[in-house]
């Protein structure tokens, strides 16, 4: 028997419940894992409240990331073996698979061996943050030297990954944060510039930094009424990626400015990369190379215990973290 976390209705963190269940042998193309650590993502909070990009089928499990030891493999699995230390790439529906459990079963394509230099806590944190940022900045925008990349909510796990990936590619990362409290830590994380948006004029600061030209890329998880300012900081025919909806209220667009600048606005999520075998493998190779060189480093904000998962979700929704929240099992 193994404990997993389930919920029978949408709601606050208190709807999460521990359930004792037996975990069957994996199917032909599945892997069973004894979990050591779980990475926590904003998507799981949205899933719990049933406001995610797909509807929840109740009762539901949840969780996109984990790391642990392979316990059993299906007959057709060749990439990993029993005893391997592995981690999980978000590349499946939480209506089918989940990671909030002591023993979990996942599709083999979502399971990868990670570098031995990473702890289980670090390995559980890397794939959502780095592959999401990689998909937009490297795979699609192909940022490089001379490019400026504006990164709102820069102290989030994906924001920090975007800073590192932009710098790794030779681009200049401009981190946005509400106040100066996290400025030094963002600079230490690799940001070339940090703008405290509650303290200075965002648009004027970006234009100053870019010598009036504007940034080629904005990578935004917030949206909302301030999104219009992010269009204003783009250069002519720049690209804005919107990969989250942290802000409440409608996301507004400055129509006349858009007609003048002709920007590209794209919705973005990890599935474009992780849902395609060729792209997923390229992303894994890119991230592993960055991890091994030290250019990419997972940043962990706080570590909780599995028994504290309700408190974990409360902490997540306070939006105060710097980096990834991880749960040990």
């Amino acid at each position: 028997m193994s404990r997993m976390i389930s919920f029978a209705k949408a709601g606050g963190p208190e709807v999460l419940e521990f359930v004792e269940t037996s975990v069957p042998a994996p199917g032909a193309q599945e892997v069973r894992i004894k979990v050591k650590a779980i990475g926590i993502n904003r998507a799981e909070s949205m899933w719990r409240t049933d406001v995610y990009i797909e509807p929840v089928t109740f009762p539901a499990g949840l969780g996109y990331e984990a790391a642990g030891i392979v316990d059993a493999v299906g007959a057709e699995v060749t990439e990993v073996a029993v005893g391997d230390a592995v981690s999980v790439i978000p590349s499946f529906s939480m209506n089918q698979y989940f990671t909030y459990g002591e023993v979990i079963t996942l599709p083999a394509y979502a399971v990868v061996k990670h570098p031995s230099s990473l702890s289980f806590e670090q390995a559980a944190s890397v794939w959502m943050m780095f592959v999401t940022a990689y998909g937009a900045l490297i795979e699609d925008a192909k940022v490089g030297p001379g490019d400026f990349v504006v990164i709102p909510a820069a102290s989030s796990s994906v924001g920090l990954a975007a800073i590192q990936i932009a710098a790794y590619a030779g681009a200049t990362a401009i981190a946005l944060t509400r106040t100066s409290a996290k400025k030094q830590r963002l600079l230490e994380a690799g940001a070339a510039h940090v703008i405290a948006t509650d303290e200075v004029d965002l648009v004027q600061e970006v234009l100053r930094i870019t010598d009036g030209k504007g940034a080629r890329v904005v990578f935004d998880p917030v949206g909302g009424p301030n999104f219009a300012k992010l269009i204003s900081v783009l250069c002519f025919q720049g690209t804005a990626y919107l990969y989250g909806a942290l802000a409440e209220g409608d996301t507004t667009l400055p129509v006349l400015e858009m007609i003048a600048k002709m920007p590209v606005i794209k919705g973005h999520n990890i599935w474009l990369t992780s849902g395609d075998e060729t792209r997923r493998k390229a992303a894994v190779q890119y991230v592993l190379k960055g991890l091994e060189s030290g250019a990419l480093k997972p940043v962990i904000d706080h570590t909780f215990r599995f028994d504290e998962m309700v408190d974990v979700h409360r902490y997540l929704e306070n939006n105060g973290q710097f980096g990834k929240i991880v749960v040990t099992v």
Side-chain angles (χ1 to χ4, degrees):
M1 299 297 289
S2 170
R3 288 191 305 163
M4 60 167 282
I5 291 177
S6 178
F7 62 110
K9 63 179 181 180
E14 65 278 358
V15 302
L16 300 177
E17 299 178 313
F18 286 94
V19 178
E20 290 277 349
T21 183
S22 59
V23 182
Q29 297 180 3
E30 292 181 330
V31 176
R32 194 171 68 192
I33 301 169
K34 288 186 177 179
V35 176
K36 298 294 186 181
I38 301 166
I40 306 300
N41 296 287
R42 172 63 60 174
E44 292 138 24
S45 170
M46 298 176 72
W47 181 253
R48 193 200 69 234
T49 53
D50 201 10
V51 294
Y52 195 47
I53 56 176
E54 64 173 312
V56 179
T57 300
F58 296 104
L62 71 171
Y64 272 140
E65 289 185 285
I69 302 294
V70 174
D71 174 60
V73 297
E76 299 176 11
V77 175
T78 58
E79 296 295 321
V80 298
V82 173
D84 284 344
V86 296
S87 49
V88 179
I89 299 177
S91 52
F92 47 84
S93 167
M94 286 186 282
N95 278 321
Q96 296 176 295
Y97 296 97
F98 56 84
T99 62
Y100 285 20
E102 293 173 330
V103 180
I104 58 176
T105 301
L106 290 159
Y109 63 75
V111 178
V112 296
K113 289 187 281 190
H114 56 257
S116 59
S117 59
L118 296 182
S119 67
F120 284 114
E121 291 82 2
Q122 291 173 320
S125 75
V126 297
W127 296 115
M128 178 69 89
M129 59 190 288
F130 285 118
V131 176
T132 300
Y134 163 91
L137 303 185
I138 304 302
E139 188 178 65
D140 194 70
K142 297 177 175 60
V143 300
D147 289 332
F148 289 90
V149 181
V150 173
I151 304 167
S155 58
S156 69
S157 59
V158 179
L160 291 167
I163 289 171
Q164 293 182 34
I165 283 179
Y168 186 30
T172 301
I174 303 174
L176 306 189
T177 184
R178 289 192 298 272
T179 72
S180 296
K182 298 176 181 178
K183 180 176 181 178
Q184 186 57 39
R185 294 175 73 186
L186 288 167
L187 290 171
E188 291 170 357
H193 305 274
V194 178
I195 299 175
T197 56
D198 286 353
E199 300 172 8
V200 297
D201 186 294
L202 163 62
V203 177
Q204 291 304 314
E205 277 297 293
V206 173
L207 292 177
R208 180 187 65 79
I209 291 167
T210 61
D211 291 328
K213 298 176 183 177
R216 188 166 83 82
V217 174
V218 165
F219 186 58
D220 180 41
V222 182
N226 286 326
F227 188 72
K229 293 182 180 179
L230 299 180
I231 301 300
S232 296
V233 306
L234 283 174
C235 68
F236 181 69
Q237 294 185 324
T239 301
Y241 295 92
L242 192 56
Y243 70 95
L246 292 176
E248 296 181 359
D250 294 335
T251 297
T252 55
L253 298 175
V255 176
L256 290 178
E257 189 168 20
M258 290 174 62
I259 292 171
K261 282 190 171 183
M262 296 191 291
V264 175
I265 300 174
K266 292 187 174 184
H268 177 71
N269 68 49
I270 192 173
W271 313 123
L272 184 67
T273 304
S274 67
D276 178 271
E277 182 179 4
T278 301
R279 289 176 171 177
R280 182 173 62 249
K281 288 182 176 180
V284 168
Q285 290 174 358
Y286 184 94
V287 174
L288 288 178
K289 184 178 179 181
L291 291 169
E292 289 164 359
S293 72
L296 305 182
K297 300 175 183 178
V299 179
I300 296 176
D301 170 83
H302 195 83
T303 301
F304 290 85
R305 293 179 290 106
F306 190 48
D307 290 337
E308 300 175 299
M309 193 63 81
V310 171
D311 290 332
V312 170
H313 272 238
R314 291 190 179 119
Y315 183 77
L316 171 69
E317 291 174 351
N318 284 335
N319 297 323
Q321 65 266 26
F322 189 94
K324 195 81 169 187
I325 302 168
V326 176
V327 170
T328 58
V329 181

